[in-house]
Amino acid sequence: MEENVPAGRCVVAVDGPSGSGKSTVSRRLAVSLGARYLDTGAMYRAITWAVLRSGVDLTDAQAVAKVAGEVDLHVGTDPTGYGVTADGIGVEEEIRGPEVTAAVSAVAAVPAVRALLVARQRDMIAKAGRIVVEGRDIGSVVAPDADLKVYLTASAAARAARRSAENASDVAATAADLARRDQLDSTRKADPLAQASDAVVLDTTELGIDEVVARLTELLTDRGVA
């Protein structure tokens, strides 16, 4: 997959809050398009893992930025089995753990970290040419010229239920954590969670994954880039 991506530019930007279905939808759409897939959230999580491992104070923006600039980060783009490594260590499971989840919004709010990763993401998009990218500021900041910008959303209850099912966690506690992250991500000064003005908004509360992918495929077909 990494070496055999079909020709023909097609950049899809998928934004939205946690639990809206971004990851599953984006991976499945990438497979159907024969495209690469980039989980930008995994990049911020991997940097957060490295910051926590270093022991620096999360409130020390300069120290956090220094760690981010020094870590050897690799995020695969194969939607059927991408990997994440930091300094040569496979961290795909670790970055989904509660410690990283609790700290990632703080690390992602550091302007220097965002500048570093946005530049890296743009480079990966340019080299891929045909790619589905998911995150919180893809359509508004990272890829404002994407062929399709989508903002996925869902009710707070649906998002909490989905995430707690994934993590086998308490629904109420999950709902509180999602609300905390939404607040932090949408109010940070640097590249906040935002819906691009020309994004297609899709509420996934009552939709299955296949239905969402089918709708996005229709939109891409209509634009002649599927």
Side-chain angles (χ1 to χ4, degrees):
M1 179 85 189
E2 292 282 339
E3 301 298 329
N4 299 290
V5 177
R9 181 186 186 276
C10 178
V11 178
V12 182
V14 183
D15 291 306
S18 298
S20 57
K22 294 194 308 294
S23 295
T24 305
V25 167
S26 296
R27 286 198 303 269
R28 197 168 297 182
L29 180 62
V31 170
S32 70
L33 294 174
R36 294 183 180 181
Y37 159 73
L38 178 58
D39 177 359
T40 63
M43 299 176 77
Y44 287 101
R45 284 176 171 272
I47 293 295
T48 301
W49 175 86
V51 169
L52 292 172
R53 182 170 178 247
S54 74
V56 304
D57 187 342
L58 289 177
T59 64
D60 185 340
Q62 186 173 357
V64 169
K66 185 174 186 296
V67 173
E70 294 175 349
V71 65
D72 180 14
L73 173 66
H74 175 78
V75 177
T77 57
D78 183 343
T80 64
Y82 71 101
V84 183
T85 64
D87 291 332
I89 302 172
V91 294
E92 194 161 343
E93 288 188 18
E94 288 82 354
I95 65 175
R96 307 297 175 184
E99 187 179 15
V100 169
T101 297
V104 66
S105 289
V107 172
V110 176
V113 173
R114 299 203 72 79
L116 177 73
L117 292 187
V118 167
R120 177 87 176 269
Q121 291 155 14
R122 286 174 174 165
D123 183 60
M124 294 174 74
I125 291 169
K127 288 179 178 177
R130 192 169 182 84
I131 188 168
V132 179
V133 189
E134 65 147 302
R136 283 167 163 70
D137 62 347
I138 310 306
S140 58
V141 175
V142 178
D145 61 344
D147 297 285
L148 175 64
K149 301 176 189 177
V150 183
Y151 189 87
L152 297 185
T153 187
S155 70
R159 291 169 53 213
R162 292 169 182 172
R163 187 50 54 89
S164 62
E166 291 175 4
N167 302 334
S169 55
D170 177 73
V171 175
T174 299
D177 182 60
L178 290 180
R180 177 189 65 82
R181 290 187 60 198
D182 287 348
Q183 174 67 16
L184 290 171
D185 292 343
S186 61
T187 58
R188 66 177 177 238
K189 293 182 179 180
D191 306 337
L193 165 64
Q195 172 193 323
S197 60
D198 54 347
V200 175
V201 180
L202 191 55
D203 189 325
T204 67
T205 303
E206 303 295 336
L207 298 176
I209 297 299
D210 289 341
E211 292 176 285
V212 177
V213 172
R215 292 196 184 188
L216 299 188
T217 302
E218 288 175 8
L219 288 169
L220 288 166
T221 300
D222 290 343
R223 298 177 187 208
V225 290

